[in-house]
Amino acid sequence: MRFLLILICFYAFNVYANWQVEVALGIDGETWKIEHAKFEDGKEQSLNFGTYLLKMSIKRTKEEKVLSVNYVIEEKKGDKKTLVAKGEDLMEDRPKNDIFAKGEKDQPHTIISLKMKPI
């Protein structure tokens, strides 16, 4: 019985450290969307959007209801990868957020839309 109680406690804490997110990426008038991306607190996740690769991590901050998002967007051309945008953004823990990422030199600006879904 103790084992079951301990297992339930760990499961409950683990649920609060995860997010299921709908991620949309907009670059140069093109938009891609992934309906169900799962993020663990502080762990980097890689998502493919056509010829673009988004590496992103979401983690809680010490402030209540504030999340820190780190992201790197790269364009894949064969074996070569070109950095499009890179940064860190703080956002409120609310259902929908947009990140406006300034492109690197000679690269387009990007919009990353995050729609948080309950697990």
Side-chain angles (χ1 to χ4, degrees), residues 61-117:
T61 62
K62 293 181 181 180
E63 295 179 45
E64 189 175 326
K65 295 191 177 190
V66 175
L67 301 174
S68 174
V69 179
N70 291 323
Y71 58 89
V72 175
I73 303 168
E74 298 176 324
E75 183 177 18
K76 299 178 290 185
K77 293 181 182 176
D79 292 338
K80 186 180 175 187
K81 291 182 181 177
T82 305
L83 181 64
V84 175
K86 180 180 181 179
E88 180 178 351
D89 201 2
L90 294 176
M91 65 181 197
E92 293 180 25
D93 189 4
R94 60 182 186 197
K96 186 165 179 173
N97 291 285
D98 290 325
I99 298 172
F100 300 99
K102 183 178 179 187
E104 297 291 319
K105 185 178 180 192
D106 298 327
Q107 295 297 322
H109 299 310
T110 306
I111 299 173
I112 304 169
S113 296
L114 304 173
K115 185 175 181 184
M116 310 301 241
K117 296 181 177 182

Side-chain angles (χ1 to χ4, degrees), residues 4-44:
L4 182 61
L5 183 61
I6 291 171
L7 183 64
I8 290 171
C9 288
F10 282 122
Y11 178 74
F13 291 125
N14 191 23
V15 168
Y16 292 113
N18 293 326
W19 297 273
Q20 184 171 337
V21 184
E22 179 181 302
V23 182
L25 180 69
I27 300 176
D28 275 346
E30 292 186 66
T31 304
W32 297 270
K33 187 185 335 183
I34 294 180
E35 295 284 333
H36 304 283
K38 187 173 182 181
F39 288 89
E40 293 181 29
D41 190 39
K43 187 175 178 185
E44 185 176 83

